[in-house]
Amino acid sequence: MEARFCMSCGHELETRDIDGTMRRACGSCSFVHWGSYSIGVGALVKKEDKLLLVRRAQEPGKGYWTNPGGYIEQLEPIRETIEREVLEECGVQATVKSVAALRDQPRGIHNVYIAFEMEYAGGEPTPDRVEVDAAGFFSLEEMEGMNVAPFTRWLVDVAFHGEGRGLKTDEAPVVPLPGYGLFRV
């Protein structure tokens, strides 16, 4: 769907060349529609050599086992988003350790998905019975007989065989930047 009206002033948008790319822009104010994007987050929570998985109760992916996750909210820090999603979907408390993987999926709505390695903090996997109808910690051997989603299989490999340290949260940046979520090697 093409943007038709300015999100700042409501004026009808026109198509203009902006730095070599045709974009929808407002002729009345400085608003430019840069495109449509979504940011998903996923949790890789390990406990005793088992990974937390949930079974999707809704489309997309109904019946598949996936890692817990969701989409960020406009004004919610990404770290809070993934911790909230894990707790909401399956009752497990976990905290962010590092950024473990990233998927870039350009399409009609360009999707970026960030997978976080998380520290298990407590709780027993209990499905929310809305988005998720089953949850648990599973070994690689147990997953072999499960209907694990293809992308999640890739993330399972990252969780168990990843060789990098990931990007860690910068708790004390050299320059204080309130409101920023900063991660670094």
Side-chain angles (χ1 to χ4, degrees):
M1 175 187 293
E2 184 176 89
R4 294 187 54 210
F5 297 96
C6 178
M7 293 180 67
S8 292
C9 72
H11 191 267
E12 190 167 355
L13 296 178
E14 57 192 46
T15 301
R16 288 198 317 233
D17 183 323
I18 303 199
D19 297 326
T21 300
M22 299 306 287
R23 301 194 185 276
R24 301 293 287 163
C26 184
S28 180
C29 73
S30 62
F31 177 82
V32 175
H33 179 69
W34 296 103
S36 297
Y37 305 90
S38 69
I39 302 171
V41 293
L44 302 177
V45 183
K46 284 172 71 177
K47 177 183 170 191
E48 301 169 5
D49 290 325
K50 293 185 174 192
L51 188 69
L52 179 63
L53 294 180
V54 296
R55 189 172 59 204
R56 295 284 162 205
Q58 300 175 346
E59 296 295 351
K62 184 177 181 176
Y64 280 102
W65 288 91
T66 67
N67 54 297
Y71 290 96
I72 65 167
E73 297 292 338
Q74 184 71 37
L75 299 176
E76 182 179 42
I78 199 166
R79 176 187 201 124
E80 291 176 21
T81 298
I82 190 55
E83 290 173 0
R84 173 186 53 77
E85 286 285 354
V86 174
L87 186 60
E88 284 178 1
E89 287 188 3
C90 61
V92 169
Q93 291 108 16
T95 57
V96 170
K97 287 174 58 177
S98 66
V99 174
L102 185 129
R103 178 192 71 200
D104 178 29
Q105 192 175 32
R107 54 185 186 181
I109 296 175
H110 193 132
N111 179 257
V112 173
Y113 184 94
I114 305 164
F116 291 89
E117 178 185 1
M118 300 186 73
E119 184 78 35
Y120 171 76
E124 288 303 314
T126 306
D128 70 1
R129 300 282 176 210
V130 177
E131 292 182 65
V132 170
D133 63 12
F137 285 95
F138 301 95
S139 67
L140 286 171
E141 294 76 27
E142 291 169 314
M143 286 183 222
E144 287 177 14
M146 297 168 60
N147 189 24
V148 178
F151 176 60
T152 301
R153 286 195 183 278
W154 180 75
L155 289 173
V156 167
D157 183 65
V158 168
F160 284 101
H161 303 111
E163 296 179 19
R165 297 179 318 180
L167 296 175
K168 306 272 186 216
T169 301
D170 192 344
E171 300 289 352
V174 64
V175 177
L177 297 167
Y180 282 52
L182 302 171
F183 296 83
R184 67 185 294 166
V185 176

